[in-house]
Amino acid sequence: MSKTKKNWKKQLHEIIYEADTPAGKLFDVVLLIVILASILLVMLESVKSIDNKYHDFLNISEWVITILFTIEYIARIITVNKPTKYIISFYGIIDFLSTIPKYISLFFGGIHALAALRALRLLRVFRILKLARYLGASNNLVRAIKASRAKIAVFLFAVLIVAIILGTIMYLVEGEENGFTNIPRSVYWCIVTLTTVGFGDIAPQTPLGQFLASLVMILGYGIIAVPTGIVSAEYSNQNKTPSTNNPTPQVHLNSQSCANCLASKHQDGAKFCHNCGHPLH
Amino acid sequence: MSKTKKNWKKQLHEIIYEADTPAGKLFDVVLLIVILASILLVMLESVKSIDNKYHDFLNISEWVITILFTIEYIARIITVNKPTKYIISFYGIIDFLSTIPKYISLFFGGIHALAALRALRLLRVFRILKLARYLGASNNLVRAIKASRAKIAVFLFAVLIVAIILGTIMYLVEGEENGFTNIPRSVYWCIVTLTTVGFGDIAPQTPLGQFLASLVMILGYGIIAVPTGIVSAEYSNQNKTPSTNNPTPQVHLNSQSCANCLASKHQDGAKFCHNCGHPLH
Amino acid sequence: MSKTKKNWKKQLHEIIYEADTPAGKLFDVVLLIVILASILLVMLESVKSIDNKYHDFLNISEWVITILFTIEYIARIITVNKPTKYIISFYGIIDFLSTIPKYISLFFGGIHALAALRALRLLRVFRILKLARYLGASNNLVRAIKASRAKIAVFLFAVLIVAIILGTIMYLVEGEENGFTNIPRSVYWCIVTLTTVGFGDIAPQTPLGQFLASLVMILGYGIIAVPTGIVSAEYSNQNKTPSTNNPTPQVHLNSQSCANCLASKHQDGAKFCHNCGHPLH
Amino acid sequence: MSKTKKNWKKQLHEIIYEADTPAGKLFDVVLLIVILASILLVMLESVKSIDNKYHDFLNISEWVITILFTIEYIARIITVNKPTKYIISFYGIIDFLSTIPKYISLFFGGIHALAALRALRLLRVFRILKLARYLGASNNLVRAIKASRAKIAVFLFAVLIVAIILGTIMYLVEGEENGFTNIPRSVYWCIVTLTTVGFGDIAPQTPLGQFLASLVMILGYGIIAVPTGIVSAEYSNQNKTPSTNNPTPQVHLNSQSCANCLASKHQDGAKFCHNCGHPLH
């Protein structure tokens, strides 16, 4: 590989993967606008009245965006040292899935709605907006949620068992004539009620059913306190005890990502990737 | 009783009641799958369209599961030293209730839905998944909920009184022509609204009724803060003060249960039951 | 006044107003059952189908309860040293209001539903169940709610202003053809949505209206955190700092009440009323 | 400018802008009543049945209030040293917008509902009720909300992405025949469900859709804990650490505002504006 080519690849890598240089920032902002436009397009296309009026315009715009995404996807593969690592990474898969729907629609049509996965691309916005800073600050939050995870899972599992038991009882009490046509539907109603969503498409009609529903609601009202209590207490704890897992919270992390292994969150002024030791440019 | 027979009982006890040996683990995993399958069966049977198509298959599967549960129930009784203790224990009653519905349906039919009680059997999953560890960690949570219990009960009692008063007022204001046909139904509506569930099957139609409903909703919005605040503050407290009730939180508890008294949560390496002194194998 | 009569009054006072002697406890439990029965009666009477069937039984039961309440009310006035103080006290007014509806219905009928005020009498249950202890423990909660009151009021006032502004905007956007027939109704819808109750009797139909509704809901979702956060933080604070307003939390309070001034919450073993100095028997 | 005129302006400024003198307090209370009356008028006017009956009365009252607001607006401009500063201030714009709708309706009609912006004028109530004290106390709350802002924004952004993804999936699963007519509408439904509002105007009908909806609801139930946890933990923190940004919380602030620069929250006994150095009268 010639020196010039390597340099050209380096520069492109800097533009595409980093947000520190003006060119890199511009690229990211343009990309963000294209992503937002593409999501808007998919949404508008699903509205019949708009699709009928502006079908050709929407179709052409879709193709323009698909081609832009294709170029970006290929550029990302070329400029990275280990393309397979990018391809099987989280963003690599999202980039691929958000590019292909239009190509597939050429042959099959219909599964076009897959394009809505482009919304996941919006996660990139966090990098552009220098949200690394905010996220650094909210590391405590992430750790609090992680610390609460197991307990909330046990809790939700218990809620599910309660929903199955109560759903079956409601099925027996209300019966098919009041909308509780089968047990899965009753369990669905029970979850709707326990979570205080309350659509009202199914609602108890018999006095006994309404009495039981009241108990379910008060139960749901009481237990909504539990996950909230867990998270806020854990979060409070994380703030108090400077965890040993996070000894350097003052270090400012930049948005650079390594050309070799795609690891990001390098410290300002770092010369080598903290993950693979590859030099950072 | 011959030595061989006792040994055979011991081995079976180890397989059925414990999850530490490979055989015991396999037994528990198989049991869990059978329980999940049985719950799915009961649910599917209640869906008319599925029951019509696959009635015979569902019926035979039900019998297979019922026979498996019967064998398990008998095996549990045989291998335990004090069968009556098992039979009147929480899991003993659940095991019995989740086995008999199919037998009863032979003579009566109809009350088959009792089978949904099998969902309670899912609680066994906590033992298999070595959730003892998680539960050990969430002992603080259990203690926080216990500490909050009395206050939340007083609080819910106050909410109930509020619901009865406001429900009666709404009955007087809205009257029968707007769906508030009687006081119990109005109280039901009031609970639906205070808990922010809001089905919408009954909704105030008069301006005065809507004004009062607004007050009820804002009240409900304000008081939902109270149980949440109680739990999170108590949970926070439990984390701070290492309670004297829990002096040895570091001890690792295993999933073994005593053959004599069914007590579980023995320490790793324990040779005798902490409850009755019976040797553990 | 003869010594005997005074003694007889003292004994009756002890039975009616206190829950420490067996006779006093029995009186309170019987009273509680009568109150619960009376509330059930009022509720059942409002259900047409039940009233048609059992009208005579319900009517006679109502009269029995009304006479019992009348006797209790008169006994309370007689045995207290300062009857006017009882009559204008909180419980005095409730006792009066829960007794008269049946008498009024003799002349007018119709406003019988006032009888539902009897639910307020249930507050007596706290005394009987020795809830003084629980309430003593939850004094922190009461103080936390008091400390949060001003902030929650400011907060709810801000929510109300938001509801008026957003309600008017929704009225302009959705218009009368979609159920937002006037501004008060739109404001009502806005409160229903902000509090996450969501009846669904009024729901936006236009795309713009649904977009705005989404913003309202996310706003409501965000601000529900505020009162909860206030209460739990205040409650947490109350637990930490032993407030100077509550220097003797360990003292056990009994359910006795003074015959002279009706003050309650005397310490165990107290010989004189802490409020008026009258001897306690 | 003559000395007398200046004095006259000073006195009027004291009445209009301050709430410390009896005249100033009276002015503010009268203004508050007029504002409340004007909001009530706009609301009543939108109710067809009331407008038909009392059209002339409502119209005249509207004109009276508009003229009162006009006088107040002009008086505020005259008595302030720097009128442009007032005109482009928050309250200046609100005062202007709440005065003009009736004048505009002379020429156009229809956009009269703009008058509902008068609700924003209610914010003045905080000054009159000496809420400065309460707000001073709830400075911790304001700071807690500010500290939580970035995290809650990130959180709500994540919720929005989840709503777009799940909304699209529901559109594919339920389809147009069950009310999920297009993706924006599905996303709207998803926000309604995630926030536990649950109107029920759109509700899943297929078993798969109801299963997915259950997951959405349990997800929403789980994540409602996050913003609440953030706010309560931050608020708890604010209470503990006396922030360096707020070194003098004990100073009593009065409701005076500077005639020169409109800055308010002067300390009691302050002789010069803390913002521009202009003498306070």
Side-chain angles (χ1 to χ4, degrees):
Chain A
M1 216 183 284
S2 71
K3 179 99 189 193
T4 334
K5 199 185 163 190
K6 210 163 186 177
N7 209 37
W8 163 81
K9 266 180 68 177
K10 261 186 199 169
Q11 279 183 348
L12 204 60
H13 179 271
E14 189 130 347
I15 291 169
I16 295 175
Y17 283 93
E18 286 154 40
D20 294 336
T21 60
K25 206 158 191 173
L26 183 70
F27 175 83
D28 279 357
V29 170
V30 169
L31 182 61
L32 183 64
I33 292 166
V34 174
I35 291 169
L36 285 172
S38 76
I39 292 168
L40 204 68
L41 268 180
V42 174
M43 285 193 162
L44 291 178
E45 239 180 322
S46 78
V47 184
K48 284 278 125 45
S49 59
I50 293 173
D51 191 41
N52 289 342
K53 256 194 192 159
Y54 306 104
H55 183 77
D56 289 343
F57 171 74
L58 290 173
N59 195 30
I60 291 164
S61 309
E62 259 297 302
W63 273 115
V64 170
I65 280 165
T66 300
I67 288 162
L68 286 175
F69 279 0
T70 310
I71 293 168
E72 183 221 352
Y73 186 64
I74 292 167
R76 277 184 193 272
I77 290 175
I78 290 171
T79 57
V80 150
N81 283 12
K82 296 185 178 171
T84 39
K85 197 150 191 180
Y86 162 70
I87 289 170
I88 60 165
S89 73
F90 177 66
Y91 280 122
I93 292 166
I94 289 174
D95 288 351
F96 179 72
L97 288 177
S98 59
T99 308
I100 49 159
K102 199 66 188 169
Y103 294 114
I104 293 176
S105 72
L106 273 185
F107 306 103
F108 305 98
I111 47 167
H112 184 58
L114 195 71
L117 277 172
R118 285 169 188 168
L120 281 173
R121 283 194 156 214
L122 278 174
L123 293 172
R124 282 186 200 280
V125 80
F126 290 109
R127 211 183 60 203
I128 300 165
L129 298 175
K130 287 244 183 225
L131 241 67
R133 193 159 42 95
Y134 286 134
L135 288 176
S138 73
N139 258 352
N140 282 337
L141 176 59
V142 172
R143 255 181 291 132
I145 292 174
K146 267 189 192 159
S148 319
R149 213 174 28 183
K151 285 166 209 169
I152 289 180
V154 169
F155 174 76
L156 289 182
F157 187 75
V159 167
L160 202 68
I161 291 177
V162 168
I164 290 174
I165 305 279
L166 290 175
T168 307
I169 293 170
M170 288 303 287
Y171 168 70
L172 295 177
V173 168
E174 286 286 320
E176 295 179 30
E177 63 275 18
N178 292 324
F180 295 76
T181 45
N182 52 54
I183 294 179
R185 202 172 151 88
S186 289
V187 171
Y188 162 72
W189 171 86
C190 209
I191 291 170
V192 167
T193 305
L194 268 177
T195 55
T196 78
V197 171
F199 284 130
D201 53 341
I202 317 166
Q205 301 299 328
T206 63
L208 181 57
Q210 293 181 342
F211 176 73
L212 288 172
S214 299
L215 294 186
V216 171
M217 280 176 266
I218 287 174
L219 187 69
Y221 200 55
I223 58 179
I224 205 169
V226 175
T228 310
I230 295 170
V231 171
S232 73
E234 288 291 339
Y235 184 57
S236 211
N237 274 2
Q238 297 291 350
N239 277 354
K240 247 169 279 156
T241 55
S243 162
T244 52
N245 302 329
N246 185 24
T248 55
Q250 300 89 342
V251 170
H252 188 75
L253 303 171
N254 62 31
S255 66
Q256 240 180 321
S257 80
C258 173
N260 190 47
C261 73
L262 295 172
S264 63
K265 296 194 181 168
H266 298 288
Q267 295 178 22
D268 264 350
K271 292 219 179 62
F272 296 93
C273 173
H274 64 74
N275 190 35
C276 68
H278 196 85
L280 300 169
H281 321 282
Chain B
M1 214 183 283
S2 72
K3 178 97 189 198
T4 335
K5 199 185 164 189
K6 209 163 188 178
N7 209 37
W8 163 81
K9 267 180 68 179
K10 261 187 200 169
Q11 279 183 348
L12 204 60
H13 180 272
E14 190 130 348
I15 291 170
I16 295 175
Y17 282 94
E18 286 155 40
D20 294 338
T21 58
K25 205 158 191 174
L26 183 70
F27 175 82
D28 280 359
V29 170
V30 169
L31 182 60
L32 184 63
I33 293 166
V34 174
I35 293 169
L36 285 171
S38 76
I39 292 168
L40 204 69
L41 269 180
V42 175
M43 286 193 160
L44 291 179
E45 238 179 323
S46 79
V47 183
K48 283 279 124 47
S49 59
I50 293 174
D51 191 40
N52 289 343
K53 256 194 193 158
Y54 307 104
H55 183 76
D56 289 342
F57 171 75
L58 290 172
N59 195 31
I60 291 164
S61 309
E62 259 296 302
W63 273 115
V64 170
I65 280 165
T66 299
I67 288 162
L68 286 176
F69 279 0
T70 310
I71 293 168
E72 182 221 351
Y73 186 64
I74 293 166
R76 276 182 193 274
I77 290 174
I78 290 171
T79 58
V80 150
N81 283 11
K82 296 183 178 173
T84 39
K85 197 151 192 181
Y86 163 70
I87 288 169
I88 60 166
S89 73
F90 177 66
Y91 281 121
I93 292 165
I94 288 174
D95 288 350
F96 179 71
L97 288 177
S98 58
T99 308
I100 49 158
K102 199 65 189 171
Y103 294 115
I104 294 176
S105 72
L106 272 186
F107 305 103
F108 305 99
I111 48 168
H112 183 60
L114 195 71
L117 277 172
R118 285 170 186 168
L120 281 174
R121 282 193 158 214
L122 277 175
L123 293 172
R124 282 186 200 280
V125 81
F126 290 109
R127 211 184 59 204
I128 299 164
L129 298 175
K130 289 245 183 223
L131 241 67
R133 193 160 42 95
Y134 286 134
L135 288 175
S138 74
N139 258 353
N140 283 337
L141 176 59
V142 172
R143 257 180 290 132
I145 292 173
K146 267 188 192 158
S148 319
R149 213 173 28 182
K151 285 165 209 168
I152 289 180
V154 169
F155 174 77
L156 289 183
F157 187 75
V159 167
L160 202 68
I161 292 177
V162 168
I164 290 173
I165 305 279
L166 289 175
T168 308
I169 294 171
M170 287 303 288
Y171 167 70
L172 295 177
V173 168
E174 285 285 321
E176 295 179 31
E177 63 277 17
N178 292 324
F180 294 76
T181 44
N182 51 54
I183 293 179
R185 201 171 151 88
S186 288
V187 172
Y188 162 72
W189 172 86
C190 209
I191 291 171
V192 167
T193 306
L194 268 177
T195 55
T196 77
V197 171
F199 283 131
D201 53 340
I202 318 165
Q205 301 298 327
T206 63
L208 181 56
Q210 292 181 343
F211 176 73
L212 287 172
S214 299
L215 293 186
V216 171
M217 281 177 265
I218 287 173
L219 187 69
Y221 200 55
I223 59 179
I224 204 169
V226 175
T228 309
I230 295 170
V231 171
S232 73
E234 289 291 340
Y235 183 57
S236 212
N237 274 1
Q238 297 291 350
N239 277 354
K240 249 169 276 156
T241 56
S243 162
T244 53
N245 301 329
N246 186 24
T248 55
Q250 300 88 343
V251 170
H252 189 75
L253 303 170
N254 62 31
S255 66
Q256 239 180 322
S257 82
C258 173
N260 191 47
C261 73
L262 294 173
S264 62
K265 294 195 185 169
H266 298 288
Q267 294 177 24
D268 263 350
K271 293 219 178 61
F272 296 93
C273 174
H274 64 75
N275 190 36
C276 67
H278 196 85
L280 300 169
H281 320 284
Chain C
M1 213 184 285
S2 70
K3 177 97 188 193
T4 335
K5 198 185 164 190
K6 208 164 185 177
N7 209 37
W8 163 82
K9 266 180 68 178
K10 260 188 203 169
Q11 278 183 348
L12 203 60
H13 179 272
E14 188 130 348
I15 290 170
I16 294 175
Y17 282 94
E18 286 155 39
D20 293 337
T21 59
K25 205 158 191 173
L26 183 69
F27 174 83
D28 279 358
V29 170
V30 169
L31 182 61
L32 183 65
I33 291 165
V34 174
I35 291 169
L36 285 172
S38 77
I39 292 168
L40 203 69
L41 269 180
V42 174
M43 286 194 162
L44 290 179
E45 237 178 325
S46 78
V47 183
K48 284 278 126 46
S49 59
I50 293 173
D51 191 41
N52 289 342
K53 256 194 193 158
Y54 307 104
H55 184 76
D56 288 342
F57 171 75
L58 291 173
N59 195 32
I60 291 163
S61 309
E62 260 296 300
W63 273 115
V64 170
I65 281 166
T66 300
I67 288 162
L68 286 175
F69 279 180
T70 311
I71 294 167
E72 182 222 350
Y73 187 63
I74 293 166
R76 277 183 192 273
I77 290 174
I78 291 170
T79 58
V80 151
N81 284 13
K82 297 183 177 171
T84 40
K85 196 150 190 180
Y86 163 70
I87 289 168
I88 60 165
S89 73
F90 177 66
Y91 281 122
I93 291 166
I94 288 175
D95 287 352
F96 179 72
L97 287 177
S98 58
T99 308
I100 49 159
K102 199 66 188 169
Y103 295 115
I104 294 176
S105 71
L106 272 185
F107 306 103
F108 305 97
I111 48 165
H112 183 58
L114 194 71
L117 276 172
R118 285 170 187 167
L120 280 174
R121 281 192 159 216
L122 277 174
L123 292 172
R124 281 187 201 281
V125 80
F126 290 110
R127 210 182 60 204
I128 300 164
L129 297 176
K130 289 246 183 223
L131 241 66
R133 193 160 43 94
Y134 286 135
L135 288 175
S138 73
N139 258 353
N140 282 337
L141 176 58
V142 172
R143 256 181 289 131
I145 292 173
K146 267 188 192 159
S148 319
R149 214 173 29 183
K151 284 166 211 169
I152 288 180
V154 169
F155 174 76
L156 289 182
F157 187 76
V159 167
L160 202 68
I161 292 177
V162 168
I164 291 174
I165 305 280
L166 290 175
T168 309
I169 293 171
M170 287 303 287
Y171 167 70
L172 295 176
V173 167
E174 286 285 320
E176 295 179 30
E177 64 276 17
N178 293 324
F180 294 77
T181 44
N182 52 55
I183 293 179
R185 202 171 150 87
S186 289
V187 172
Y188 162 72
W189 172 86
C190 209
I191 291 171
V192 168
T193 305
L194 268 177
T195 55
T196 76
V197 171
F199 284 130
D201 53 340
I202 318 165
Q205 300 299 328
T206 63
L208 181 57
Q210 293 181 342
F211 176 73
L212 287 172
S214 299
L215 294 186
V216 171
M217 280 176 265
I218 287 173
L219 187 69
Y221 200 56
I223 59 180
I224 205 169
V226 175
T228 310
I230 295 170
V231 171
S232 73
E234 289 290 339
Y235 183 58
S236 211
N237 274 1
Q238 297 291 350
N239 277 354
K240 248 168 276 156
T241 56
S243 161
T244 53
N245 301 330
N246 185 26
T248 56
Q250 299 90 342
V251 170
H252 189 74
L253 304 171
N254 62 32
S255 66
Q256 241 180 320
S257 81
C258 174
N260 191 47
C261 72
L262 294 173
S264 62
K265 294 194 183 170
H266 298 288
Q267 294 177 23
D268 262 351
K271 292 217 179 59
F272 296 93
C273 174
H274 65 74
N275 190 37
C276 68
H278 196 86
L280 298 169
H281 322 284
Chain D
M1 215 183 284
S2 71
K3 178 100 189 191
T4 335
K5 199 187 161 189
K6 210 165 187 175
N7 209 36
W8 163 83
K9 266 181 68 179
K10 261 187 199 167
Q11 280 182 345
L12 204 59
H13 178 272
E14 189 131 349
I15 291 170
I16 295 175
Y17 282 94
E18 286 154 40
D20 293 336
T21 59
K25 204 159 192 173
L26 183 72
F27 174 83
D28 280 356
V29 170
V30 169
L31 182 60
L32 183 63
I33 291 165
V34 174
I35 292 170
L36 284 172
S38 76
I39 292 168
L40 203 68
L41 268 180
V42 174
M43 286 193 162
L44 291 178
E45 238 180 323
S46 78
V47 183
K48 283 279 124 45
S49 59
I50 294 173
D51 191 39
N52 289 342
K53 256 192 192 159
Y54 307 104
H55 183 76
D56 289 343
F57 171 74
L58 290 172
N59 195 32
I60 292 164
S61 308
E62 258 298 300
W63 272 116
V64 170
I65 280 166
T66 299
I67 288 161
L68 286 175
F69 280 180
T70 310
I71 294 168
E72 183 220 353
Y73 187 63
I74 293 166
R76 276 183 193 273
I77 290 175
I78 290 171
T79 57
V80 150
N81 283 12
K82 296 184 177 171
T84 40
K85 196 150 192 180
Y86 163 70
I87 289 169
I88 61 166
S89 73
F90 177 67
Y91 281 121
I93 291 166
I94 288 173
D95 288 352
F96 179 73
L97 288 177
S98 59
T99 309
I100 50 159
K102 198 65 188 170
Y103 294 115
I104 294 176
S105 71
L106 273 185
F107 306 102
F108 306 98
I111 47 167
H112 182 58
L114 195 69
L117 277 172
R118 284 169 188 168
L120 280 174
R121 282 193 157 215
L122 278 175
L123 292 172
R124 280 186 201 281
V125 80
F126 290 110
R127 212 183 59 206
I128 300 165
L129 299 175
K130 289 244 182 224
L131 241 66
R133 194 159 42 95
Y134 287 134
L135 287 175
S138 73
N139 258 353
N140 282 337
L141 176 59
V142 172
R143 255 180 292 133
I145 292 173
K146 266 188 193 158
S148 319
R149 213 173 29 181
K151 284 166 211 169
I152 288 179
V154 169
F155 174 76
L156 289 182
F157 187 75
V159 167
L160 202 68
I161 292 177
V162 167
I164 291 174
I165 305 279
L166 289 175
T168 308
I169 293 171
M170 287 303 287
Y171 167 70
L172 294 177
V173 167
E174 285 286 320
E176 296 179 30
E177 64 275 17
N178 292 324
F180 294 76
T181 45
N182 52 54
I183 294 178
R185 201 171 152 88
S186 289
V187 172
Y188 162 72
W189 172 86
C190 208
I191 292 170
V192 168
T193 306
L194 268 177
T195 56
T196 77
V197 171
F199 284 130
D201 54 341
I202 318 166
Q205 301 298 329
T206 63
L208 181 57
Q210 293 181 342
F211 177 73
L212 287 172
S214 299
L215 294 186
V216 171
M217 281 177 265
I218 287 173
L219 187 68
Y221 200 56
I223 59 181
I224 205 169
V226 175
T228 309
I230 295 170
V231 171
S232 74
E234 288 291 340
Y235 183 58
S236 211
N237 274 0
Q238 297 291 349
N239 277 356
K240 249 168 278 159
T241 55
S243 161
T244 52
N245 301 330
N246 185 25
T248 56
Q250 300 90 341
V251 170
H252 188 75
L253 303 171
N254 62 31
S255 66
Q256 241 180 320
S257 81
C258 174
N260 191 47
C261 74
L262 295 171
S264 62
K265 297 195 180 167
H266 298 288
Q267 295 177 23
D268 263 351
K271 292 216 180 62
F272 296 92
C273 174
H274 65 74
N275 191 36
C276 67
H278 197 85
L280 300 169
H281 321 282

